[in-house]
């Protein structure tokens, strides 16, 4: 009888312990009173909160509902509608920053050339090749060269989650990523440009010169430095050079990547501007663009927008024959378009795939490279 009573007591204790454990687990997994978003239920949040001295509370920008009242709005492509809804939005949180890129604002004048390269989150290979070739951070001819990549966020939520972590890893390793919490798209390149100039004002106001271009260009950084050393003013005077484009206006055909309907602008002409694939500007001009951009609403074509800022400031862009944003014109069809002799004397060529950048950078730096008279046309800067 005693043994039977002990068995009953032991079973009762096991039941009590088990029930207590179950209550503990249920309490641990009980939802808190904190709101859980759809993104948190389905996957990690897209925006990583970070704290920098540049950070400030930024209210989420709401769509301008009045845009829908514009005549013909309903027939516009989706990306045009998005632009009209949100073109007033010029402030977005900075997700990844490099506050020490220029040392500090007070000593940022020690940076001679800042390479500001527009990139998309998924273009990892392009960024890596640029880091190893023309985008190296180094001293050349006694001048300090620094590099930043300008990116937004991927449109697809799941891709954005992965690519944001990729960019974070790149930032931790290379300290060269500027990422903002806006959708990275062709029509948001102007927004990216405006945010970069704002960042420059806060972090690197004294930088002498800026290279501003895409991540699919091949730049001969050595030639760029040599050219800028010959420019008067050491960055304190106006300079804005590239492949000059004049006497053009909006493309009204819907099939075009550059389609700009009358709902965006009724003007049929653009101010003079330089092709956005790659251009050079002085620190003075960069600061001027920042100031003028505060009073000019966004325009979907980024290089045209820069032309608008210059026009408002009473400044003109200039042409440079060493910058070829539409490629190199060859003297003969029998000549290879990949001959390093055509690139050794240039400043910039658009466009290259990653492996071509690596091969060409190596080729133009071969000490035994011999070029004939066919390069003379490209030697006058």
């Amino acid at each position: 009888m005693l043994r039977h009573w002990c068995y009953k007591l032991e079973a009762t204790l096991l039941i009590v312990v088990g029930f207590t454990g179950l209550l503990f687990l249920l309490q641990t997994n009980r939802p808190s009173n904190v709101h859980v978003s759809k993104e948190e239920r389905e996957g990690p949040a897209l925006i990583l909160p970070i704290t920098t001295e540049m950070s400030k509370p930024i209210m989420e920008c709401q769509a301008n509902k009045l845009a829908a009242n514009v005549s013909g709005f309903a027939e516009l492509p989706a990306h045009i509608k998005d632009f009209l809804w949100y073109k007033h939005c010029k402030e977005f949180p900075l997700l990844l920053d490099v506050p020490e890129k220029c040392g500090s604002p007070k000593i940022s004048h020690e940076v001679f050339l800042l390479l500001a390269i527009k990139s998309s989150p998924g273009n990892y290979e392009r960024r890596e090749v640029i880091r190893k070739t023309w985008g190296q951070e180094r001293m050349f001819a006694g001048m300090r060269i620094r590099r930043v990549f300008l990116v937004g966020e991927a449109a697809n939520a799941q891709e954005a989650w992965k690519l944001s972590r990729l960019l974070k890893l790149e930032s931790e390793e290379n300290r060269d990523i500027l990422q903002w919490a806006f959708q990275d798209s062709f029509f948001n390149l102007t927004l990216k440009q405006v945010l970069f100039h704002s960042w420059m004002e806060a972090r690197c106001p004294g930088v002498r010169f800026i290279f501003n271009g895409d991540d699919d260009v091949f730049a001969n950084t050595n030639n760029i430095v040599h050219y800028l050393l010959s420019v008067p003013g050491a960055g304190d005077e106006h300079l804005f050079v590239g492949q000059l484009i004049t006497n053009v206006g909006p493309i009204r055909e819907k099939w075009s990547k550059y389609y700009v309907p009358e709902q965006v602008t009724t003007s049929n002409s653009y101010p003079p501007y330089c092709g956005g694939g790659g251009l050079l500007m002085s620190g003075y001009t960069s600061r001027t663009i920042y100031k003028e951009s505060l009073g000019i609403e966004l325009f979907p074509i980024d290089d045209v927008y820069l032309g608008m800022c210059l026009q408002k400031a009473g400044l003109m862009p200039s042409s440079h024959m060493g910058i070829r944003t539409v490629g190199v014109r060859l003297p003969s069809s029998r000549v290879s378009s990949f001959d390093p002799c055509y690139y050794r004397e240039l400043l910039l060529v658009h466009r290259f795939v990653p492996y071509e950048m690596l091969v060409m950078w190596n080729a133009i730096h071969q000490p035994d490279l011999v070029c004939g008279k066919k390069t003379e046309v490209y030697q006058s800067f």
Side-chain angles (χ1 to χ4, degrees):
M1 177 68 79
L2 181 61
R3 179 179 298 177
H4 177 71
W5 182 84
C6 290
Y7 285 156
K8 289 183 64 177
L9 178 60
E10 183 177 354
T12 302
L13 287 173
L14 289 173
I15 292 171
V16 171
V17 170
F19 184 71
T20 303
L22 179 62
L23 287 177
F24 176 78
L25 290 174
L26 290 173
Q27 182 67 27
T28 301
N29 290 320
R30 182 179 299 171
S32 66
N33 292 327
V34 178
H35 172 70
V36 180
S37 67
K38 178 182 178 182
E39 289 80 8
E40 291 172 319
R41 293 194 301 269
E42 297 180 353
L46 299 183
I47 298 178
L48 298 176
I50 65 170
T51 302
T52 72
E53 61 190 66
M54 190 181 175
S55 298
K56 63 178 181 179
I58 297 177
M59 298 295 292
E60 182 179 352
C61 192
Q62 302 298 318
N64 175 19
K65 296 182 180 179
L66 295 178
N69 297 331
V70 174
S71 176
F73 181 86
E75 288 74 39
L76 293 173
H79 67 286
I80 302 288
K81 291 180 180 177
D82 284 342
F83 175 79
L84 292 173
W85 272 327
Y86 294 102
K87 68 177 181 177
H88 60 288
C89 302
K90 287 187 175 182
E91 290 189 336
F92 288 83
L94 186 60
L95 303 180
L96 294 173
D97 192 10
V98 277
E100 76 290 348
K101 179 55 62 176
C102 299
S104 72
K106 290 183 178 180
I107 63 171
S108 58
H109 63 276
E110 296 178 0
V111 176
F112 181 76
L113 176 62
L114 178 65
L115 307 172
I117 306 157
K118 292 172 283 188
S119 185
S120 295
N123 292 356
Y124 171 74
E125 290 184 358
R126 293 183 183 179
R127 292 190 291 272
E128 276 294 281
V129 171
I130 289 173
R131 289 176 180 125
K132 295 175 180 178
T133 57
W134 61 264
Q136 296 174 45
E137 294 196 315
R138 57 192 171 116
M139 298 289 293
F140 178 75
M143 300 294 109
R144 190 181 305 276
I145 302 172
R146 290 294 178 264
R147 173 194 68 238
V148 288
F149 291 101
L150 316 177
V151 296
E153 291 188 297
N156 178 276
Q158 292 302 319
E159 287 299 306
W161 179 83
K162 292 185 291 185
L163 291 172
S164 289
R165 275 137 187 85
L166 169 65
L167 291 166
K168 188 171 185 294
L169 291 173
E170 289 184 64
S171 180
E172 290 172 353
E173 180 176 353
N174 301 291
R175 304 300 300 158
D176 62 0
I177 300 290
L178 291 178
Q179 184 189 26
W180 290 271
F182 67 86
Q183 187 178 120
D184 203 304
S185 66
F186 178 71
F187 265 28
N188 276 343
L189 286 176
T190 304
L191 175 61
K192 184 181 291 187
Q193 189 76 41
V194 168
L195 290 169
F196 165 68
H197 286 285
S198 178
W199 178 87
M200 281 284 295
E201 283 294 298
R203 299 296 195 209
C204 303
V207 165
R208 298 299 181 180
F209 297 98
I210 298 100
F211 162 84
N212 200 181
D214 297 339
D215 62 5
D216 60 350
V217 304
F218 176 79
N220 191 329
T221 327
N222 297 0
N223 286 351
I224 289 175
V225 171
H226 284 310
Y227 164 68
L228 294 175
L229 284 171
S230 70
V231 171
D236 293 328
E237 298 179 11
H238 170 57
L239 176 77
F240 193 94
V241 298
Q243 185 141 8
L244 187 62
I245 301 172
T246 60
N247 301 317
V248 299
I251 294 176
R252 303 300 192 187
E253 287 78 18
K254 288 186 177 182
W255 54 263
S256 174
K257 174 183 179 180
Y258 302 94
Y259 169 58
V260 176
E262 291 187 348
Q263 288 86 346
V264 174
T265 179
T266 57
S267 174
N268 289 319
S269 64
Y270 288 151
Y273 66 96
C274 290
L279 54 87
L280 298 170
M281 71 179 80
S282 64
Y284 169 86
T285 303
S286 175
R287 294 189 295 272
T288 301
I289 289 172
Y290 166 71
K291 293 172 185 175
E292 298 299 343
S293 71
L294 298 176
I296 302 177
E297 69 177 19
L298 296 178
F299 188 78
I301 313 298
D302 58 329
D303 43 16
V304 174
Y305 183 82
L306 291 177
M308 292 175 174
C309 291
L310 293 179
Q311 184 180 60
K312 186 179 178 184
L315 302 175
M316 285 291 294
S318 301
S319 179
H320 192 299
M321 68 175 300
I323 296 177
R324 308 297 178 90
T325 56
V326 292
V328 174
R329 182 178 296 175
L330 300 174
S332 169
S333 60
R334 293 175 297 177
V335 178
S336 170
S337 63
F338 205 68
D339 188 333
C341 288
Y342 287 106
Y343 299 93
R344 189 178 65 170
E345 309 300 334
L346 296 176
L347 272 64
L348 178 147
V349 179
H350 189 226
R351 64 186 53 180
F352 271 49
V353 297
Y355 85 87
E356 290 177 329
M357 289 186 200
L358 187 59
V359 172
M360 184 57 69
W361 181 257
N362 179 266
I364 66 173
H365 288 90
Q366 290 299 315
D368 57 349
L369 177 63
V370 177
C371 297
K373 292 183 178 180
K374 60 185 177 182
T375 63
E376 289 180 357
V377 68
Y378 306 116
Q379 291 177 350
S380 176
F381 293 162

